[in-house]
Amino acid sequence: GAPEAPAELGGSPKRGRWAPPTLPTEPALYDGPFPFYRRPAEEGRFSLDAQRCYHPDARQLRYFAPPRAERPEPAFDLRHGYRDLYVRRDEGRREGLEHLLQWVAGNRDRLRAQGDAAGRPVNADFVTWRGHLTKVLTTPYESQEGWLLAVSLFRGTLYVSEVETPAARQQREQRSDMLQELAYMGYKFERYMCADTPDGSPDPTGVVNTNEAFCTVVRTRLGSHSLLFAGEVDCADPRGAWPEPPACYVELKTCKELHSPAQRRSFYRYKLIKWWAQSFLPGVSRIVAGFRAPDGSVATLETFETMKIFQLIRGDRGCWKPAVCMNFCEAFLAFLKKVVTEDDPQLVHLFAWEPGRPVSYSRHQGAEHVFLPAWYVETMSG
Ligand code: 0WD
Ligand code: CA
């Protein structure tokens, strides 16, 4: 069964005064059997074009077209185009759940027709971005970056939307040119690995525009929590072992080349946890990594099957455990259900976490932090 409810969950009386409950994050508290996680099913797709405009279709989906050899020949030059062929998304524009809500609103008749015992317009306990859940999954093992998640209950569904922490904002605004180039190299790698058509070949000469995105919307269940979330995916493999979405999707990553067993172990411990969580959540079956050489070329390609990653880390005592990540996520979702009980899109509970501390929350009524747009509340109330 599930791990025991942590002692702190009931709220700890401090000198007789009631203190709001918190949720501890220590891995040992969540070490238990892997919880029930239903195989994710694709519920829909949408695209964002070069101008960041929403389209309810798969026009931005690209196709996996890797080179034959593990060592690409001719070499991929990941730095090519950084100065002159790069159109960057305006990251200062906080989009929140906007595009996902556009998809929900556009599919409201179908979502309603799915039938919901509770009579909700959206037949799910939680609606959010996959990236937000990735952060929750990795929390028990994270020691660097905290998070802030805003939560509102609206017509029976909990909406979860990230708020940028002051530290993350500062980091984003002061990102060095070197880090920006590294981010570019990740996108450029996609251009070398993907084609625009199922039978096409990559054309890495064009512009990299990070406004463009293809997103899958999946439905799944973790323990007693039904989830509807969207995630950006890099490409689909029409010829792979799993031709159906979401298993046909391939996640592309770049990483500094590994030179020693110690470096590889550190990669498994600190980086692979994030890659695993991100792809496991929506049922993406493969992650293809390009390991970068110092000159900005790809030295080797390596494929990680999402479902086999736990075998790579199992032998390393003190390494992360997938079950801990999932049990913590289940406990966190239960915590949200327990705390956020008033159905009101104007009411926001802000859940905050910093490494070394438990998850805490604060309550905000009206204007401040409200994230469900008026158009969405109106559309879904009709
Ligand atoms: O405005 C916001 N607060 C956020 C917007 C926070 C998180 C995501 N987003 C947007 C992204 O721009 C994208 O449209 O949501 C969509 C992706 O959501 P997701 O799949 O839930 O996010 P995640 O799993 O963190 O990222 C998936 C991919 C990334 O791939 P890598 O390999 O780097 O993990 O989405 C892209 C990126 O390619 N991506 C972004 N691209 C530009 N700016 C960003 C970003 N801030 N975040 C993710
Ligand atoms: Ca990627």
Side-chain angles (χ1 to χ4, degrees):
E4 277 173 47
E8 287 96 315
L9 200 67
S12 46
K14 274 182 191 149
R15 290 186 221 90
R17 284 229 302 280
W18 184 82
T22 59
L23 182 73
T25 65
E26 289 85 354
L29 293 168
Y30 302 96
D31 202 354
F34 201 86
F36 174 76
Y37 191 65
R38 187 199 287 159
R39 178 150 43 122
E42 184 171 77
E43 187 86 12
R45 316 167 128 191
F46 61 88
S47 296
L48 305 176
D49 66 19
Q51 283 77 42
R52 201 70 179 167
C53 291
Y54 172 92
H55 300 276
D57 54 44
R59 68 181 66 186
Q60 295 290 348
L61 175 60
R62 286 182 293 168
Y63 298 88
F64 188 53
R68 278 176 216 285
E70 182 188 281
R71 192 171 284 271
E73 194 65 54
F76 295 169
D77 178 7
L78 300 182
R79 291 197 175 125
H80 174 261
Y82 174 56
R83 299 283 167 204
D84 52 337
L85 295 169
Y86 189 16
V87 178
R88 288 175 51 182
R89 183 176 86 90
D90 175 5
E91 290 185 45
R93 250 203 88 227
R94 307 311 296 168
E95 297 173 332
L97 299 184
E98 185 181 328
H99 298 119
L100 171 55
L101 297 181
Q102 272 181 275
W103 181 88
V104 173
N107 288 274
R108 61 188 179 282
D109 294 339
R110 193 159 59 85
L111 289 169
R112 208 185 289 267
Q114 284 173 348
D116 180 70
R120 301 178 293 189
V122 179
N123 178 20
D125 298 342
F126 294 92
V127 167
T128 190
W129 282 111
R130 175 272 307 274
H132 302 357
L133 293 173
T134 305
K135 291 192 177 177
V136 174
L137 252 67
T138 58
T139 297
Y141 298 103
E142 175 65 41
S143 61
Q144 307 285 318
E145 285 168 16
W147 45 250
L148 283 170
L149 294 170
V151 182
S152 287
L153 180 61
F154 171 56
R155 300 204 63 183
T157 295
L158 285 153
Y159 293 81
V160 181
S161 179
E162 187 178 26
V163 175
E164 192 173 35
T165 63
R169 181 180 177 156
Q170 194 183 347
Q171 262 191 29
R172 174 169 59 80
E173 287 172 347
Q174 298 175 355
R175 211 176 299 158
S176 66
D177 191 56
M178 194 186 79
L179 282 181
Q180 295 191 46
E181 187 171 30
L182 278 180
Y184 172 81
M185 290 162 81
Y187 294 114
K188 187 72 184 183
F189 179 57
E190 298 173 7
R191 312 300 308 190
Y192 281 106
M193 297 288 287
C194 302
D196 290 337
T197 56
D199 300 309
S201 0
D203 172 16
T205 61
V207 169
V208 169
N209 184 328
T210 57
N211 289 298
E212 297 176 0
F214 167 77
C215 294
T216 176
V217 184
V218 304
R219 177 185 284 288
T220 184
R221 172 176 290 272
L222 171 58
S224 59
H225 315 296
S226 56
L227 313 174
L228 187 68
F229 58 83
E232 186 176 331
V233 295
D234 294 326
C235 57
D237 185 357
R239 280 169 289 272
W242 308 273
E244 299 300 320
C248 66
Y249 297 131
V250 180
E251 174 64 39
L252 301 171
K253 294 283 186 204
T254 55
C255 180
K256 195 163 177 274
E257 201 180 354
L258 306 172
H259 294 291
S260 67
Q263 283 178 359
R264 180 162 280 264
R265 202 180 72 149
S266 167
F267 162 75
Y268 284 175
R269 280 197 172 192
Y270 305 109
K271 202 152 205 171
L272 210 48
I273 180 176
K274 294 185 180 173
W275 293 9
W276 170 81
Q278 184 188 41
S279 287
F280 178 76
L281 279 164
V284 169
S285 60
R286 263 179 305 164
I287 303 163
V288 175
F291 287 98
R292 292 187 314 261
D295 66 353
S297 68
V298 170
T300 54
L301 296 171
E302 186 171 340
T303 300
F304 297 92
E305 274 185 40
T306 310
M307 298 304 283
K308 289 186 177 165
I309 285 176
F310 78 100
Q311 297 173 357
L312 298 175
I313 57 158
R314 212 166 30 183
D316 182 5
R317 280 161 49 84
C319 199
W320 57 278
K321 291 182 181 173
V324 168
C325 299
M326 297 303 282
N327 284 325
F328 174 73
C329 187
E330 185 178 8
F332 176 69
L333 298 177
F335 186 55
L336 298 190
K337 281 183 178 172
K338 199 177 133 189
V339 170
V340 186
T341 54
E342 293 159 83
D343 205 295
D344 177 358
Q346 301 291 320
L347 175 65
V348 175
H349 282 79
L350 207 52
F351 289 80
W353 179 72
E354 284 300 326
R357 308 183 61 98
V359 178
S360 61
Y361 67 87
S362 53
R363 193 176 182 278
H364 306 262
Q365 178 79 57
E368 193 193 8
H369 299 308
V370 167
F371 63 88
L372 286 174
W375 66 261
Y376 181 75
V377 170
E378 197 163 308
T379 306
M380 300 307 283
S381 297

